[in-house]
Amino acid sequence: MPTEFSIGSLTLPRTAGLAPMAGVADRAYRILCKEHHASLLVSEMISAKGLCYGDPKTAQFCTITDAERPMGLQLFGSEPEFMAKAVQIVLPYQPDWIDINMGCPVHKVIATGAGSALMQKPDLAADIVRAAVSVSPVPITVKFRAGWDESNRNAVTFARKMEQAGAAAVAVHGRTKTQLYAGKADWDIIRQVKQTVSIPVIGNGDVTNAESCFQMYEQTGCDLVMVGRGSYGNPFVFSEIAAAMAGKPYQPPTLAEKMDTMLYHIRLILKLADGKPPELAIREARKHAAWYISGLHGAAAFRARCYQLQSYAEAEQLAADVKEANPS
């Protein structure tokens, strides 16, 4: 199995990358996953129109730190002219590539004609990619789903259109828009896309450990596996996959190491809070803390405490109580 793959002139390790996840994969999350050997990172979704209209909140998503590279910026929008202008706006932030989101199933994105709504308008989607490619010196990639619903699973023809429009790579989540995140991801459609196009194909959906990562590589032939929800409370998954791909032994984290990582993650969130007061920033940490606790003895009560966290000191006490309730 190859150990590297390329997007344009960018060569990356063929282990596993972190999927873009709005409201989850912020800078703290990305840095943590990179420290655990995620091969690439992608920003949260950035509105092309928001960029064009100068929304300061939108622009703050564009900054890329050295610790995060290689990293792409992900844009969403439904109008070619706005997408081209947005690409030009983000170029000074020096993204390693720019990804266009055509897979988000959330209603407020669909309602604007963006995200997976574009899978119903492949010609418009191709025009958006062409507009982005025409002004970008860095690769343009596209992330989309298996299709809109079970009756419209058009990922294969859609991928071909994206390639013809100039996309340097495509990422395919093996669920339809109507599935949202339920049910099982269809890896076979990722395989079909890989067999159809000549550009790199990134597979996404239901990879939670090294075993499932290897299975996706074997079953689909994809060039890279992308992990999303499988990394919730589990940045260690990237270390596990990197070790397995290198043929090295992997030692799963102890409970103490998990709790130490949870606290480190919370410290990162507080440190990178962009001026938010700690009492607000700690709210962003609550769901992450809860994910680290899943599956442990007393998890339900501990998760309830996670969602009430008011300070880092409370998080420290929570970690101590979790360890006490789950002796090794």
Side-chain angles (χ1 to χ4, degrees):
M1 186 182 290
T3 58
E4 295 179 330
F5 87 110
S6 298
I7 299 176
S9 60
L10 189 67
T11 300
L12 301 163
R14 196 166 180 250
T15 53
L18 176 65
M21 295 180 286
V24 174
D26 58 9
R27 176 161 293 114
Y29 198 96
R30 294 193 301 266
I31 288 173
L32 181 61
C33 290
K34 183 67 187 299
E35 289 176 353
H36 282 276
H37 309 296
S39 64
L40 59 77
L41 306 173
V42 189
S43 72
E44 297 178 80
M45 283 193 306
I46 303 164
S47 167
K49 195 166 268 190
L51 281 172
C52 294
Y53 287 131
D55 180 355
K57 186 178 178 183
T58 297
Q60 78 184 24
F61 285 129
C62 300
T63 301
I64 300 174
T65 63
D66 289 342
E68 294 169 279
R69 294 190 185 276
M71 179 172 154
L73 294 178
Q74 188 185 69
L75 305 177
F76 74 96
S78 59
E79 295 156 281
E81 61 274 21
F82 278 108
M83 188 61 69
K85 186 177 178 184
V87 166
Q88 291 172 307
I89 291 170
V90 302
L91 284 173
Y93 295 95
Q94 299 182 305
D96 295 300
W97 70 95
I98 294 169
D99 186 61
I100 302 177
N101 183 307
M102 298 189 184
C104 180
V106 175
H107 175 72
K108 68 179 181 181
V109 173
I110 299 291
T112 68
S116 54
L118 287 165
M119 295 202 73
Q120 296 184 302
K121 297 182 177 181
D123 290 336
L124 173 59
D127 286 343
I128 288 170
V129 172
R130 272 190 288 270
V133 169
S134 71
V135 296
S136 179
V138 300
I140 299 294
T141 64
V142 186
K143 189 170 191 289
F144 51 93
R145 287 188 163 231
W148 179 260
D149 56 26
E150 285 304 311
S151 301
N152 297 277
R153 300 172 65 81
N154 62 332
V156 175
T157 56
F158 194 85
R160 192 179 301 124
K161 274 190 174 287
M162 299 305 99
E163 179 180 31
Q164 292 167 350
V170 293
V172 186
H173 183 135
R175 288 182 174 82
T176 63
K177 178 268 173 190
T178 54
Q179 276 184 277
L180 299 176
Y181 298 98
K184 190 176 180 182
D186 178 7
W187 291 0
D188 190 58
I189 204 157
I190 300 171
R191 179 188 62 79
Q192 293 174 40
V193 169
K194 177 59 186 170
Q195 292 177 342
T196 300
V197 299
S198 59
I199 55 177
V201 174
I202 299 169
N204 180 216
D206 293 350
V207 171
T208 57
N209 52 30
E211 182 182 6
S212 52
C213 181
F214 270 106
Q215 288 172 347
M216 178 178 275
Y217 274 124
E218 290 171 3
Q219 291 181 30
T220 70
C222 67
D223 297 277
L224 183 72
V225 166
M226 191 172 262
V227 180
R229 291 175 302 143
S231 67
Y232 284 9
N234 184 30
F236 320 102
V237 67
F238 296 105
S239 296
E240 180 189 354
I241 290 169
M245 295 294 282
K248 296 179 179 178
Y250 172 72
Q251 187 67 41
T254 63
L255 176 61
E257 287 168 339
K258 281 186 177 181
M259 292 300 96
D260 287 347
T261 301
M262 179 190 79
L263 292 174
Y264 172 58
H265 190 167
I266 293 172
R267 290 197 301 275
L268 275 177
I269 290 171
L270 295 171
K271 178 183 176 182
L272 302 171
D274 289 321
K276 286 183 187 173
E279 59 270 20
L280 285 180
I282 196 73
R283 294 180 187 175
E284 314 250 337
R286 291 172 177 173
K287 61 178 179 283
H288 295 284
W291 288 329
Y292 282 96
I293 284 162
S294 290
L296 297 175
H297 178 69
F302 286 127
R303 279 200 304 272
R305 283 175 59 183
C306 289
Y307 288 108
Q308 298 298 320
L309 286 175
Q310 300 288 340
S311 67
Y312 181 72
E314 287 185 12
E316 286 185 305
Q317 186 60 56
L318 173 68
D321 292 347
V322 168
K323 286 188 283 189
E324 184 177 349
N326 290 268
S328 54

